[in-house]
Amino acid sequence: MTQTFDADFLVRWLAAVAEAVDREADRLTELDSAIGDADHGANLRRGFAAVTETLAKDPPTTPGAVLTAAGRQLISTVGGASGPLYGTLLRRTGKTLGDDERVTREQLAEALGSGVAAVSQLGGAQVGDKTMLDALTPAVEGLLESFGAGRAAAEEGALATVPLRARKGRASYLGERSVGHQDPGATSSALLFAALDETARTEAPSTEEAS
């Protein structure tokens, strides 16, 4: 028997992300003030609040549709780089999930992997460039094992950006001065997977026969 997750689970996950971003917005902005535009927290707070509002007004009926709608909302709401990047992540993930009414954790992980690949293509970044990919890439690999492993990998990936020199984004303009600072995008990416783990912990068991 394989546990599966419906559209409501994805809606609750994104609501948990919005709460986490709201709670950590000042910290994200503080990190961004050292190596970026000092607007990462405010931008994401506005974007995920808009996502929550949109999904509450007209809840999509499939997991894929939830993430596609969320991604579209982020792209239209959030300025700077974070809107297009997070919007692309969620929208590509949603499109990869397709029209299935329920998905497994493994299916979600694989779809998120396609979203991460789209983010890499859009930003031209790879793991080690001190970007959100340093948290997203290991998180997706961990998620194939468990929600908790995905969360732990994302948090470890974010911490691992501290000694790196930025090679992409605004932080790259600082050269060696970017070393010693935790990347704000990787930090906010870790919040996504922490919220996913927490949402999964509160999910009532729901199983279907594995195909």
Side-chain angles (χ1 to χ4, degrees):
M1 302 290 284
T2 301
Q3 188 172 16
T4 59
F5 305 91
D6 61 7
D8 181 63
F9 174 81
L10 277 297
V11 170
R12 289 189 288 111
W13 169 37
L14 294 175
V17 171
E19 292 178 4
V21 167
D22 184 62
R23 185 175 63 247
E24 298 291 331
D26 289 346
R27 176 171 175 254
L28 293 174
T29 293
E30 182 179 351
L31 291 172
D32 197 33
S33 68
I35 57 175
D37 292 329
D39 59 1
H40 191 60
N43 282 343
L44 287 187
R45 173 187 272 160
R46 183 174 64 257
F48 278 100
V51 165
T52 300
E53 183 179 350
T54 295
L55 295 178
K57 284 181 179 177
D58 187 17
T61 58
T62 66
V66 169
L67 296 182
T68 301
R72 190 181 305 117
Q73 185 64 47
L74 286 174
I75 290 171
S76 66
T77 304
V78 181
S82 56
L85 291 170
Y86 274 113
T88 294
L89 172 68
L90 296 182
R91 190 167 64 173
R92 178 63 63 86
T93 300
K95 289 185 176 180
T96 302
L97 287 176
D99 297 326
D100 291 346
E101 293 186 358
R102 304 190 70 90
V103 299
T104 65
R105 172 177 46 77
E106 292 84 358
Q107 286 174 318
L108 180 58
E110 290 169 2
L112 280 164
S114 70
V116 171
V119 168
S120 177
Q121 184 177 22
L122 178 64
Q126 305 292 332
V127 172
D129 286 344
K130 198 183 184 88
T131 71
M132 62 197 297
L133 291 172
D134 290 301
L136 290 176
T137 300
V140 167
E141 294 172 359
L143 187 58
L144 287 167
E145 177 185 335
S146 69
F147 287 109
R151 175 182 188 164
E155 292 172 348
E156 290 169 9
L159 287 173
T161 64
V162 173
L164 298 178
R165 174 177 174 169
R167 293 198 288 262
K168 291 293 178 180
R170 186 175 179 82
S172 65
Y173 303 154
L174 297 177
E176 289 296 333
R177 286 181 293 155
S178 65
V179 174
H181 299 282
Q182 186 166 317
D183 182 69
T187 305
S188 58
S189 294
L191 293 179
L192 262 70
F193 283 85
L196 181 58
D197 180 42
E198 290 165 5
T199 304
R201 290 175 186 273
T202 62
E203 177 77 353
S206 174
T207 58
E208 294 181 352
E209 291 288 349
S211 57

